[in-house]
Structures are given as C-alpha cells and as structure tokens.
C-alpha cells in the first residue's frame, strides 16, 4: 500500500497540481506583461519613425520649396528633375512629383505601396506684389520599411523574453515542489488514514536534513495535531449531546404548539412556504384571503387560489427574498376571497433556514396599511401643491425683478424715441424707423406684462379684442421659440371677429398648446398647424361642448403630427400636476392652466388624439358684438403747461430724458437722483412746486416713503409714483395712500402728459 502511495506521489508531479497552476499563472502574467512592454516599445519605435518622416517633411518645406519654386518660375525642367532626384535620398522617400493643373511637370521614384504618408505643398510665386500659383509639390513616404524594421525588432524581443520566461518558470516549479508540494502529499496520506480509533496517533512531518528553521508547514502540522485532539474530545462529548438532543426535541414540539397558537391569533396575514412555493402553513387571517381552510391550503401553491398574474407576482417576490438571503419588503393590493373587500398590504418576506443553515422556504407577514397609504397619498399631494406654490412664488419674484429693470431700460428707449420723433420731420426717412422703435418698445412692454400675468404678479382685465390679429402676433413670437425642424402652418380665416377676453391669457393658451405640440415632435420634427375659423352652434351641436350656448363662436384648432396621446391617460391630461414628461421638462400645470383660462372666458376645450396619428386641441370662444377699443393717435396734440415739476429717479438717463420731455411741454422741471436730495430741495421751498413725480424703487428710500415725507411738509402737494414693477404698491394702494396717480414704466409721453394735465387742472 505504501509503495502504491509513493508511486502516486511521483506520478502526480506531472499532473495538474498547485505547482503547475502557479507556473501557468506565472506564464500568463509574464506573457501579458511581455506583450504589453513589447507593444509600448514598438509604439515608441513607430512614433520615432513617424517623427523622422515628419522631420523630413519639415526639411522639404524649409530647404527645398524655394528652390523648386525658382526652377518652376524659370521653367528649368532639368534642374527641377535634378532637385526631385536629390530629395529621393531622404529616408523612406518613395515618390515625388510636381503638378500644375493636374499635369505632372516632373517626378521621381515609383508609387507602389498603399501604406504611405503623403504631404502636399502649394507652390506660389510672388511677382510684383501678385501671388502666382506655379503648381503643387507632392511627397510620398513609404511605411513598409518602418513595418519591416518593427517586425524584426518584435521577433527578437519575443524570442529573448520567451527564453527568460521558460527558465524562470522552470526554476519556480522545482523550488515549489521541493519546499511545499512533497510535504503536502504526506499530509494527504495522513488525513486519509484518520479514523475514530486512530485519532490518538500524532502527525509527524519529516523534512530534509538541512534545517531552515520553523516554517508554515510546521505550523500546519501542529494545527492538525491540535485538531486531532479536539476531534477526539468532541467525539466523547457528542455521545452525551445525543441524549440531551432528544430531550430538547420534546421541548421544541411543545414550544412549536405554543408558537402556532400565538401566530394564529395575530391580526396580520402569516404564511410559510417551502423553496418551491408550496404552502407549509398559515394562520386564520390568511385563510380568509384564500377563502379556504389551512388543511386545504397546505401542500398547494398560489396558482391554485389566485389568477396567474398575481401568482407570478407573489412567486417573484419570494425568489427575490430567497436570492438576497435577507428580508424583503414590498407593497401589494389584495382582495379577500371570503367577503371581497380589498386591502393594501405591507408584506415582509424572510428566508427560513434549518439548523444546518439550509434554505427551507420563506416566511411571509402581511400587514394592512390601507389607512396609512391614504394618509401618504394625501401628504404627497399636499407636498406637490406646496412645491408648485413655492415655485410659482419664485417665478413671480423673478418676474417682478426682471420687469422693474427691463421697464426702466424700455423707459429710456421709448422716451428718447418720442423725443426724437418730435425733432425729426415726417418726411425724413429716420421718422419711420423711429416709429418702428416706438412700436417695438410698446410690444416689449406688453411682453413683460405677459410674464407678470403668467406668474400671477398682475391681473389682466377682460376686453373686446380681435382674435385673428392676436393669434397672428402670438405665432410670430412663437416662431423664435419653436425649433426650426417643426414647420408652423397657419390658416386664420377671421378678420374683424371679436371676443371678450384677456389678450395676455389668450397668448398664454396659444403658447402652452403650441409648446406642448413642439415638445411632442422635438425628436422627429413635424408640422404644427394653427387654424382659426368662425363656427355657428345650434342647440344640438352646442351639447357636444359643455358650458357653451348656441350662437356664433370662434374655433381655434392647434394640431401636430407627433406620437399622439395614450387613450388610457387622455382623460387625465387637464388634471393639475398630471404630466408624462421627465423631471425638469414639465410641472403638470400647463394644460390645467389652459383649461382654467378657457373656462374663465366662458369657452370650451376638447382634445382628439390617437397613438401615431398626432394630437388636435380644439378651443371655442363665444363671439361678442362689442367693438374693440381703438387706440387713437393725436399726433403732436399733447397737452402742456407752465407749472413747476420736481422729478425724482435714481436712473440718470431717465432723469435727463424726462426733463427734456416735460420742458418741451412747457413745464419748468427740477430733478433729483436721490430721495434725500429731493426731500432737501422740496423742504427748502415747498410752495415752489406744483407737482412731484417720483420713482418707486430707489436706494435707501422708496417712492412711497418719500411721498409720505413730502406730504408731511405740504399735505396738498400732488404726487405721481411711477415704477417698472413693485410688489409694494399698485394703483389701488396708491389711491389709499393719497397719491395723485400711479404710472407703469416705460412712460408714454402722450398718456403721461394727459395725466399730469388732469391732476394740475383739479387744483
């Protein structure tokens, strides 16, 4: 037997052992490192060769181009050919030619390789300050020589490195076998011979005569001997434990009975399955879920009691918990089979193991969280509404800040434009340009009011408007907002038809619906169609639009060629906070705002859509017979006077502009750029001034505060407050404070002059 074991140890040297695996790892690692280092070395050599070619190209550019241009200029073909042949001596040069108008004037070398580097040089000649193109020099360097040299270098390196790897691997194998492997075989023989009756025989490690000192093998031998002693002691203890285990099992059976009674009394659903999903037990609450007794449930699966989709859901969560090896929690909605009521459950599934640590199944506990879910949904809804309110408040603050600064700027532009219109005769071409600036400035003022209206900073009033021009102007504004990949087509058939509406909010409807349509087509592009037409509703057709009465209406149709709306959600699109867009692309309030505006205008809105066929929004508004307000132009008939006005504003440009404006109307104007300066000037001679006009937002003191101080000095002084925007004062607040008027910047010369005259004429 010993002879056989010795033979086996010798034969195993050449088998797949630890030493062989180490050698394989060494070979693989060395090969990878060798390949990596060779690659780096070859790459460096390759870059050196390429740099050599680039240096040669620079040499051609610096040393040969001028002489070649001179030869071409004097048409010396022989000298040119000699120059090209001389350039062929450059390293790796394969072919050179000089061409002019696709005609080869001279060449040297033979173009034969496909792997080349080519460089072209234009050959201009400057003669009497004129640049004359003489042709093009083309130089071609071959890469074949570089590849051949690199291949020879690589072969030599690989052979040298292979010899080194082979010698190192062989040496490692021999050393590892002599120092480790042969002693491991002795350990294998000893462990094979171990039995209960041989546990007292110690393991002796016979090492070589050369003493190297204690090593890991000696520690292993000592550990094995300690383990042998422990095993012998454990065997003796095991006999005693068997008796104790039988007594323990009896106690466990009694404890199990108590536990089952306790679980059965719990208000939660409790069940136990094996790893294959077969029920091993459950409590009485769970019996109600399946509508069956425990004895009928045990031995069956979920597929025997619920539909396949729900059973798959249960099974999937069981497998997740068992795969994770730890409890998993999920929520599910179930319907009880006994009485049909539903509950939301928070289900905890825990993997169950036997005393050997083997997975035996899954324990589930389901707790009713229906009331908690309702509370969480209500809390989430309130949180969303709060976030939206905060966002709208932030937009309002931002809009107010923009409006103030923007209107100050527009005040300067509009005021100076009106002054320039006074100075320029209508026959001057500049007059029409100034009129355009004035019109654009007023449009900019209206855009700011739209921004304030959207953020609920200001409220607009209903008025009779021509719907056709409003839609056309809105589409002009939208064209710069919508991507050019989307074509906007309009079919506006109305001209003078009017509706009772807030033009800013009509623009908001148009903007929201068109931007929604463009976002639906932003990936693929498409067509955005806007149609406006007159529609007469009779009693029958009016029933299709809840809230509308029979009569004349305007119908606005906004349609796109986008992907359409899913039929399952089309009834929810006008709900607040409902959105299918990703985070950052929509708040879910756009269509809700549109719906609210339409309803507040006594209109109706409907949507038609199907997947893949685009979407169409149809909006109807009743027509009105009330004529729209017409803006009258009185030309230069602007009322003036000779009273004294104190004007206060911290913007020097506005001060200078308005001073000139009022002085042209005949008024005597004194100005101040700070509230303190204005207060001091007024205090020195209160009766000298007939009117005070002050900005609202100024450093250290608001216009309202300045007005209070001025009226403390002289109660009857009329004061006008003007501002780009202020959250502290509006027209109603100004009246409460006793102010004479409240003007929104930019200041219109005619309107302001009429207000001033009206105030002064009351005195």
């Amino acid at each position: 037997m010993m002879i056989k074991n010795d033979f086996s140890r010798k034969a195993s040297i050449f088998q797949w052992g630890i030493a062989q695996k180490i050698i394989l790892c060494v070979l693989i690692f060395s090969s990878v490192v060798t390949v990596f280092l060779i690659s780096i070395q070859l790459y460096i050599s390759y870059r050196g060769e390429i740099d050599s070619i680039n240096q040669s190209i620079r040499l051609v550019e610096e040393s040969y181009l001028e002489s070649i241009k001179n030869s071409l200029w004097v048409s010396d073909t022989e000298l040119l050919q000699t120059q090209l042949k001389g350039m062929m001596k450059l390293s790796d040069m394969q072919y050179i030619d000089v061409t002019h108008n696709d005609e080869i004037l001279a060449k040297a070398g033979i173009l034969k390789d496909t792997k080349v580097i080519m460089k072209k040089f234009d050959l201009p000649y400057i003669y009497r300050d004129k640049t004359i193109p003489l042709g093009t020099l083309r130089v071609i360097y071959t890469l074949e020589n570089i590849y051949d040299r690199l291949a020879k270098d690589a072969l030599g390196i690989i052979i040298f490195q292979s010899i080194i790897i082979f010698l190192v691997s062989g040496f490692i194998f021999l050393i590892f076998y002599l120092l480790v492997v042969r002693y491991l075989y002795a350990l294998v023989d000893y462990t094979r011979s171990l039995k209960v009756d041989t546990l007292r025989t110690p393991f002796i490690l016979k090492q070589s005569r050369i003493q190297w000192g204690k090593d890991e093998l000696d520690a292993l031998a000592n550990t094995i001997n300690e383990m042998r002693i422990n095993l012998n002691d454990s065997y003796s203890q095991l006999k005693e434990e068997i008796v104790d285990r039988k007594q323990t099992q009896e106690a466990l059976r009694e404890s199990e009975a108590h536990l089952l009674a306790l679980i059965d009394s719990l208000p939660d659903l409790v069940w136990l399955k094996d790893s294959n999903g077969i029920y091993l037990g459950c409590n009485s609450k769970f019996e109600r879920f399946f509508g069956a007794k425990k004895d009928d449930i045990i031995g069956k699966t979920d597929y025997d009691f619920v539909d396949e989709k729900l059973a798959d859901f249960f099974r999937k969560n069981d497998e997740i918990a068992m795969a994770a090896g730890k409890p998993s929690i999920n929520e599910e909605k179930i319907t009880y089979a006994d009485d049909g009521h539903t509950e939301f459950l928070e289900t905890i599934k825990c993997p169950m193991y036997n005393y050997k640590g083997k997975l035996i199944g899954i324990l589930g506990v389901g707790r009713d969280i229906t009331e908690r879910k309702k509370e969480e949904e209500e809390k989430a809804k309130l949180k969303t509404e709060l976030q939206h309110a905060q966002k709208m408040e932030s937009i309002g603050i931002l809009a107010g800040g923009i409006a103030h600064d923007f209107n100050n700027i527009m005040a300067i532009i509009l005021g100076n434009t009106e002054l320039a219109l006074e100075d320029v005769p209508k026959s001057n071409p500049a007059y029409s340009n100034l009129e355009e600036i004035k019109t654009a400035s007023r449009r900019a003022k209206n855009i700011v009011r739209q921004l304030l209206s959207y953020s609920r900073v200001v409220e607009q009033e209903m008025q009779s408007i021509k719907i056709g021009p409003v839609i056309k102007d809105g589409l002009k504004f939208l064209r710069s907002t919508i991507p050019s990949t989307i074509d906007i087509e309009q079919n506006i058939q109305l001209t003078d038809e009017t509706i009772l509406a807030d033009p800013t909010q009509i623009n908001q409807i148009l903007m929201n619906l068109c931007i929604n349509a463009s976002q639906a087509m932003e990936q693929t592009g498409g067509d955005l169609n806007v149609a406006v037409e007159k529609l007469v509703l009779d009693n029958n057709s009016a029933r299709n639009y809840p809230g509308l009465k029979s009569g004349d209406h305007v119908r606005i149709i906004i349609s796109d060629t986008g992907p359409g709306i899913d039929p399952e959600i089309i009834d929810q699109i006008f709900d607040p906070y409902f959105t299918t867009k990703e985070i950052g692309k929509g708040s879910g309030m756009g269509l809700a705002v549109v719906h609210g505006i339409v309803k507040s205008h006594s209109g109706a809105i409907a949507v038609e859509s199907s997947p893949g066929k685009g979407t169409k929004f149809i909006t109807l508004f009743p027509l009105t017979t009330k004529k729209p307000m017409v803006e009258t132009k009185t030309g230069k008939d602007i009322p003036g006077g000779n009273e004294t006005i104190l004007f206060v504003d911290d913007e020097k440009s506005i001060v200078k502009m308005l001073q000139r404006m009022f002085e042209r109307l005949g008024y005597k104007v004194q100005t101040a750029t700070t509230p303190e300066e204005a207060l001091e000037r007024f205090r020195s001679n209160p009766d000298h001034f007939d009117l005070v006009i002050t900005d609202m937002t100024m450093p250290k003191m608001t216009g309202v505060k300045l007005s209070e101080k001025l009226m403390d000095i002289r109660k009857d002084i009329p004061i006008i407050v003007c501002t780009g925007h202020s959250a502290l004062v509006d027209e109603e607040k100004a009246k409460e404070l006793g102010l004479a008027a409240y003007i929104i910047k930019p200041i219109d010369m005619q309107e302001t002059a009429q207000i001033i005259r009206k105030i002064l004429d009351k005195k």
Side-chain angles (χ1 to χ4, degrees), residues 92-109:
D92 297 318
M93 183 71 75
Q94 185 186 82
Y95 178 78
I96 311 172
D97 64 16
V98 177
T99 61
H100 184 64
N101 294 332
D102 297 331
E103 178 183 353
I104 298 176
L105 303 179
K107 65 179 181 177

Side-chain angles (χ1 to χ4, degrees), residues 25 71 161 232 241 272 312 352 370 409 492 550 625 712 759:
C25 293
S71 299
Q161 292 292 339
N232 187 50
E241 291 176 356
L272 180 64
D312 287 340
M352 300 296 293
T370 306
I409 297 172
I492 301 176
S550 60
T625 56
D712 287 341
I759 293 171

